[in-house]
Amino acid sequence: MVSSSSSPGPDHTRPEAHLAGFAPVGGSSERDVRPRSCPRFAPGCPCSSLGLRLASCPPAGSAPPAASLLRSPPLLHLWIFSLWASLLFDRRRSCTIRVVLSVCQVPVSEGKSVQQTVDVLHKKLEQLGAVKQGSFCVDCETYHATGNVSGQPTKLLYVMHNSETPLSCMGLFEGGPCMIADANFDVLMIKLKSHFQNAKGHKVECRGSRYRYCDFLIKVGTVTMSSSARGISVEVEYCPCVVPGDCWNLTKEFMQSFLGPSVPELPSVFAAKPEGLFAPSDGVDTMTQYLELFNKLRKQQVPGSNVR
Amino acid sequence: MEAPQVTVMPVTGGTINMMEYLLQGSVFDQALESLLHRLRGLCDNMEPETFTDHELVYLLKGQQGNPFILRARRSLSHPTSPWHLRYLGQPEVGDKSRHALVRNCVDVAASHSLPEFLNEMGFRMDHEFVANGHIFRKGAMKIVVSKLSRILVPGNTENTERLSLSFLVELSVLAPAGQDTMSEDMRSFAEQLKPLVHLEKIDPSKQRH
């Protein structure tokens, strides 16, 4: 039981106290135990719906000792859900809470083509119980600045689009500032053609299917450049949470269930922030991950890459 | 939490070419109230909106030709609203009997990282100012009556100095290319504002020295 008289933690009589990771007053059943790494213990949570207890969940019947919660930093108590418009201009998406945890490259299976490997992933997701929900497309165009002083490296401007936010586009400089704008930014880049040349041969696209599994959104795509397949990308979102540090373990375990050993480490874009893993994530982080993947695949020479 | 099915692929350009039709004039400060009174009567039945905007004008100097100009504008009265980036082309040299100035216009809404992004692209800020005043609407026409103020310390929008003892009056319409009947409608509206203000076609390229 948690005494609220002198503790700095949340008041357990308030409705959101059940999110704070400790058992409410009088609750002693297994259902009342809130696994520390699971931000939401509810019927829709994969902890219960996967029919297995994830290794990151504490053993059944145990609750974190109240004393340790009182001593733990306030951040651990912040299992709160926030509605947050991740991108400014897609009004129909403004109530979606999302963080993209991981965009990773999946190696093409031995003896199989890109398409065959993608089909294997689709089958695994369907066996898990995921439901296909249409398709997606992420693309990236590269512009070279023409007015550079000789001796300095050419500045590259990337303009990216994501079908999740069809009215927006994003301008990025690798390692530099980025900007979210509406679709007219493409028209502006056409007006700027004497100052920024479009490297048409460098356009990279990632197209594929979207799957929904409980609170997870999974997108398996084939990355193509100049009509040749360069690799496979998998994007996994845990929709209820915007803070990567709160759900990375959960998402990693979920990815292991269909990717096997190919699960990546935490994307560097989160670790690079001043606030680290506990800064809220947004669409910029998603697109930065895609850009890193596209640049990596652009430099790779993939044998037999003409197979779609 | 159900995500709607994705049926719209990303929009990648190919939008309609928009043109701005423009007439400009000015009134002395003393005549402002009379002008606002007449505009309230002529324009759509709504309370005129007041605004306070901060505009920065950026130049990108190329290897040849005139510099590329972009105008970035943000609202000081609604600080969380997106920035508005505007490109205005050269005025169309066409029919001299056309009553309004016509030029290509591209409007882009952008996030708050716009100034840093423009700097990274190579744009440099040429000048900035604060504009505050009133906006009226009549159908597709927009009438803006604004006072421009010079910013004394770069970036400090609190410390400003009025540029003149008058208000700038602009009558503009944004329409797809080819709709020349717009300038006729604008001319007949401008007639109703005489003699309070004379709105005319002023070519900005002829103002440079």
Side-chain angles (χ1 to χ4, degrees):
Chain A
M1 296 225 187
V2 175
S3 162
S4 59
S5 54
S6 58
S7 78
D11 179 4
H12 63 267
T13 56
R14 282 179 21 236
E16 56 268 32
H18 72 278
L19 301 173
F22 57 90
V25 174
S28 59
S29 67
E30 184 180 324
R31 182 154 165 66
D32 293 328
V33 172
R34 277 33 172 190
R36 189 179 276 276
S37 66
C38 172
R40 187 179 77 153
F41 193 86
C45 174
C47 296
S48 56
S49 60
L50 279 175
L52 52 88
R53 201 134 190 106
L54 297 180
S56 47
C57 298
S62 71
S68 68
L69 280 173
L70 293 176
R71 281 201 295 270
S72 56
L75 197 60
L76 286 176
H77 297 284
L78 292 177
W79 304 116
I80 53 172
F81 299 105
S82 52
L83 282 173
W84 197 52
S86 58
L87 286 170
L88 299 171
F89 307 107
D90 276 85
R91 297 286 178 218
R92 70 185 175 95
R93 295 283 186 189
S94 61
C95 61
T96 304
I97 315 157
R98 75 157 59 103
V99 63
V100 175
L101 250 299
S102 184
V103 176
C104 62
Q105 183 192 352
V106 174
V108 178
S109 302
E110 198 70 37
K112 287 197 163 79
S113 69
V114 167
Q115 189 55 47
Q116 285 169 329
T117 309
V118 166
D119 290 340
V120 164
L121 283 170
H122 287 168
K123 206 172 252 178
K124 279 187 182 167
L125 283 167
E126 280 159 13
Q127 275 170 356
L128 208 58
V131 173
K132 189 169 170 183
Q133 283 191 344
S135 56
F136 79 100
C137 174
V138 174
D139 68 66
C140 174
E141 292 177 15
T142 309
Y143 291 84
H144 299 271
T146 56
N148 275 355
V149 175
S150 59
Q152 279 183 3
T154 311
K155 226 177 246 188
L156 294 178
L157 164 61
Y158 300 101
V159 178
M160 300 182 74
H161 305 89
N162 188 345
S163 55
E164 291 293 306
T165 51
L167 302 178
S168 303
C169 74
M170 189 167 301
L172 289 134
F173 284 97
E174 201 167 17
C178 71
M179 176 186 73
I180 304 170
D182 64 19
N184 262 354
F185 188 65
D186 293 314
V187 180
L188 188 64
M189 289 310 296
I190 296 171
K191 300 287 180 198
L192 276 165
K193 62 180 177 226
S194 56
H195 300 271
F196 285 91
Q197 278 179 0
N198 188 346
K200 287 197 166 55
H202 277 78
K203 182 170 178 177
V204 182
E205 269 190 0
C206 176
R207 284 182 186 266
S209 301
R210 271 168 113 243
Y211 284 87
R212 165 70 87 175
Y213 179 67
C214 300
D215 294 327
F216 289 96
L217 195 57
I218 311 106
K219 293 177 209 161
V220 180
T222 307
V223 182
T224 56
M225 185 169 148
S226 310
S227 305
S228 76
R230 292 300 189 101
I232 302 164
S233 78
V234 170
E235 178 191 324
V236 175
E237 286 183 38
Y238 181 61
C239 301
C241 187
V242 292
V243 180
D246 290 345
C247 53
W248 170 246
N249 286 337
L250 179 67
T251 307
K252 190 172 173 179
E253 290 203 38
F254 171 67
M255 287 196 284
Q256 278 170 350
S257 66
F258 66 96
L259 286 178
S262 315
V263 175
E265 289 309 312
L266 187 73
S268 57
V269 68
F270 299 123
K273 289 189 180 180
E275 309 92 341
L277 298 177
F278 294 97
S281 169
D282 59 11
V284 172
D285 296 324
T286 311
M287 300 312 269
T288 305
Q289 291 181 66
Y290 269 111
L291 181 64
E292 280 171 11
L293 177 67
F294 290 165
N295 281 339
K296 188 174 148 198
L297 288 172
R298 216 182 256 137
K299 290 171 192 157
Q300 262 178 8
Q301 292 294 327
V302 179
S305 58
N306 286 325
V307 178
R308 280 211 70 140
Chain B
M1 199 91 68
E2 269 304 309
Q5 291 222 7
V6 177
T7 50
V8 181
M9 283 298 123
V11 176
T12 50
T15 51
I16 301 166
N17 224 10
M18 295 300 274
M19 308 300 281
E20 185 196 44
Y21 296 77
L22 180 70
L23 288 174
Q24 290 174 307
S26 65
V27 291
F28 281 118
D29 291 351
Q30 305 90 289
L32 176 72
E33 280 310 314
S34 314
L35 176 64
L36 293 180
H37 184 77
R38 185 169 293 192
L39 284 169
R40 269 191 208 103
L42 290 173
C43 292
D44 291 348
N45 190 20
M46 45 165 266
E47 266 309 302
E49 205 181 307
T50 56
F51 69 92
T52 308
D53 287 351
H54 173 208
E55 182 163 323
L56 300 90
V57 180
Y58 286 87
L59 298 184
L60 179 62
K61 293 190 170 114
Q63 282 145 357
Q64 56 195 352
N66 291 328
F68 194 92
I69 302 173
L70 280 180
R71 297 173 169 274
R73 200 152 167 146
R74 64 169 173 137
S75 172
L76 293 173
S77 42
H78 300 95
T80 54
S81 295
W83 283 67
H84 176 200
L85 187 64
R86 178 168 254 213
Y87 162 75
L88 292 167
Q90 291 299 318
E92 271 196 358
V93 180
D95 187 3
K96 290 236 183 314
S97 65
R98 198 188 270 161
H99 300 290
L101 186 81
V102 183
R103 52 192 180 179
N104 183 217
C105 174
V106 178
D107 289 303
V108 184
S111 59
H112 290 258
S113 53
L114 178 65
E116 293 81 25
F117 192 79
L118 287 174
N119 280 331
E120 190 72 18
M121 282 177 83
F123 283 89
R124 294 292 171 258
M125 193 187 72
D126 184 61
H127 62 274
E128 54 180 338
F129 59 88
V130 168
N132 56 62
H134 299 78
I135 302 178
F136 297 83
R137 289 195 184 280
K138 182 156 180 73
M141 289 190 284
K142 182 171 80 171
I143 303 97
V144 179
V145 180
S146 57
K147 169 72 83 177
L148 303 184
S149 303
R150 180 189 293 122
I151 290 177
L152 298 168
V153 175
N156 184 355
T157 52
E158 306 289 324
N159 199 4
T160 58
E161 176 193 61
R162 290 180 167 194
L163 269 176
S164 67
L165 298 171
S166 48
F167 277 77
L168 176 66
V169 185
E170 292 173 301
L171 169 62
S172 62
V173 174
L174 218 59
Q179 290 194 9
D180 280 348
T181 50
M182 281 295 155
S183 55
E184 269 304 315
D185 297 337
M186 291 169 72
R187 192 191 65 84
S188 55
F189 184 82
E191 285 294 318
Q192 297 180 67
L193 291 179
K194 287 177 178 172
L196 283 176
V197 62
H198 289 267
L199 294 176
E200 46 196 11
K201 179 168 78 170
I202 298 172
D203 189 346
S205 56
K206 293 198 170 79
Q207 306 299 311
R208 290 180 192 281
H209 44 256

